[in-house]
Amino acid sequence: MNAPLLQNLRPYLSRLSLADAALWLAGALPLAFLLSLMLVLFSLSPAKADDVKCTGENLLVAMQRDDPAALDKVRAEAAKTPNGKGIFWKIEKEGVKPSWLLGTMHVTDPRVLTMPEGAREAAAEADIIVIESDEILDEKKAGAALLMHPELTMFTDGKTVKDHLTPEQVTELDEGLKQRGLSLATVARMKPWILASFVALPACEISRKAAGASFLDKQIAEDAIKAGKPVAGLETLVEQLKAMADLPVDFHFRALIETMALGDKMEDVIETMTEIYLSGEIGMTMPMLEAVTPSGADKDDSAYAAFERRIVQDRNVVMAEGSLPHLEKGNAFIAVGALHLPGAEGLVELLRKDGYTLTAVGG
């Protein structure tokens, strides 16, 4: 990577690790929903959505301008990823009606909510909608379930996040939360993966959630309910949070600290991920993150491997197994996080191994 590009990126990407960025995209459904829930439970009130504008810039544009060879490398690596192109797939098997698979991004960005061509129509005509967790439709029920497992969202040993951070890091976290209209005193007992959702998402995304906007998965489910269509879940929120909790707490605190270090520049990372998603080139996500991570950045490969196994691959298997009863009946519309789709152990490949033909629809 050449000097001009590094000079542009280093101030805010020097401490970003591949695992931390992937953590948000792949594990964000429970966090996206919990963020909305916490805003209600704690009466938190960030600025109104109309007052907060999204300002992130696509880092790939800078790469194209300053180091096109690096961008070529990203594209070459992406090309090696099985099923890395396409977020909308047709699922077919002889003897049953076709079903559909949509990779989602758990945000309220209007561009994402538009959905790829044909997806909205497929969802409207499907007999059932299947999402990661149908509990996102009932905040009271979800809240009650989480209250039965407070250890998944809160410190229950009398400690707070302040006991795990240096005074400087506490100050940094406090400032990051204040920028989003939040108080550290209010959320100090929350686990680091919950706090990370507050500081990782751009302020514009948080304000949209506070104003009641639904992220894509929830919008799809809400539309189904309005149409009198059944909605099924592949996991429970408790199961999703247990997957997060299974990772070492030190890993989560490191992710939180590094996310704080990005500050407002996290908007650039999210914007880049969003534009990759909208292009359908989801296989570019990981190579892009590696490209913008300076070679000297401190990355824990073992921690990332544990994350990928527990948060992505293990859940891919659960999702594939849970999808089969619906696929056997046909005409199902399945929507899960986009990073669960590509790869040799991704959902697309797992369903093929179960005897289904999957074809990417459009770009």
Side-chain angles (χ1 to χ4, degrees), residues 88 100 115-123 333 361:
F88 185 41
W100 307 90
M115 299 168 62
E117 184 177 355
R120 191 172 299 279
E121 294 77 8
F333 186 93
V361 180

XYZ file of all heavy atoms in Angstrom, residues 88 100 115-123 333 361:
106
model
N -28.755 -12.087 -2.996
C -30.105 -12.611 -3.182
C -30.025 -13.870 -4.030
O -29.497 -13.844 -5.146
C -30.983 -11.546 -3.842
C -32.429 -11.936 -3.979
C -33.100 -12.597 -2.962
C -33.138 -11.613 -5.142
C -34.437 -12.941 -3.100
C -34.466 -11.954 -5.280
C -35.118 -12.626 -4.252
N -36.301 -18.620 -1.431
C -35.406 -17.497 -1.650
C -34.544 -17.253 -0.412
O -34.985 -17.482 0.715
C -36.205 -16.241 -1.977
C -37.162 -16.443 -3.104
C -38.467 -16.866 -3.010
C -36.895 -16.276 -4.495
N -39.022 -16.977 -4.259
C -38.080 -16.620 -5.192
C -35.780 -15.866 -5.222
C -38.172 -16.564 -6.576
C -35.871 -15.812 -6.605
C -37.051 -16.165 -7.269
N -33.796 -3.032 -0.645
C -33.634 -4.446 -1.012
C -33.309 -4.595 -2.500
O -33.703 -3.755 -3.313
C -34.875 -5.271 -0.645
C -35.180 -5.261 0.841
S -36.822 -5.933 1.271
C -36.675 -7.630 0.689
N -32.586 -5.658 -2.876
C -32.235 -5.860 -4.289
C -33.467 -6.156 -5.130
O -34.508 -6.578 -4.614
C -31.279 -7.056 -4.235
C -31.599 -7.761 -2.969
C -31.996 -6.683 -2.001
N -33.345 -5.940 -6.414
C -34.470 -6.138 -7.329
C -35.036 -7.550 -7.235
O -34.303 -8.532 -7.292
C -34.031 -5.855 -8.770
C -35.150 -5.942 -9.783
C -34.696 -5.577 -11.182
O -33.523 -5.171 -11.341
O -35.511 -5.702 -12.116
N -36.324 -7.640 -7.073
C -37.002 -8.932 -7.009
C -37.185 -9.472 -5.604
O -38.048 -10.330 -5.370
N -36.403 -8.972 -4.651
C -36.478 -9.528 -3.292
C -37.780 -9.155 -2.598
O -38.410 -9.999 -1.949
C -35.283 -9.046 -2.469
N -38.187 -7.913 -2.722
C -39.426 -7.493 -2.074
C -40.621 -8.265 -2.621
O -41.516 -8.684 -1.877
C -39.628 -5.988 -2.240
C -40.750 -5.421 -1.387
C -40.777 -3.905 -1.458
N -39.533 -3.326 -0.962
C -39.258 -3.144 0.324
N -40.149 -3.528 1.242
N -38.112 -2.597 0.688
N -40.622 -8.464 -3.940
C -41.714 -9.218 -4.559
C -41.714 -10.673 -4.100
O -42.775 -11.251 -3.821
C -41.586 -9.154 -6.082
C -41.791 -7.768 -6.686
C -40.589 -6.851 -6.526
O -39.516 -7.326 -6.068
O -40.705 -5.657 -6.862
N -40.511 -11.269 -3.990
C -40.416 -12.658 -3.541
C -40.914 -12.801 -2.111
O -41.595 -13.775 -1.764
C -38.970 -13.137 -3.657
N -40.567 -11.834 -1.269
C -41.018 -11.872 0.120
C -42.540 -11.757 0.202
O -43.201 -12.431 1.002
C -40.350 -10.762 0.925
N -39.123 -17.575 2.240
C -38.216 -16.450 2.052
C -37.371 -16.347 3.313
O -37.888 -16.070 4.394
C -38.991 -15.153 1.829
C -38.114 -13.967 1.488
C -37.855 -13.636 0.173
C -37.548 -13.189 2.492
C -37.053 -12.543 -0.157
C -36.748 -12.095 2.180
C -36.488 -11.777 0.852
N -29.323 -14.207 -7.878
C -30.290 -13.459 -8.685
C -29.793 -12.032 -8.854
O -29.574 -11.321 -7.872
C -31.674 -13.435 -8.016
C -32.671 -12.656 -8.874
C -32.171 -14.860 -7.777
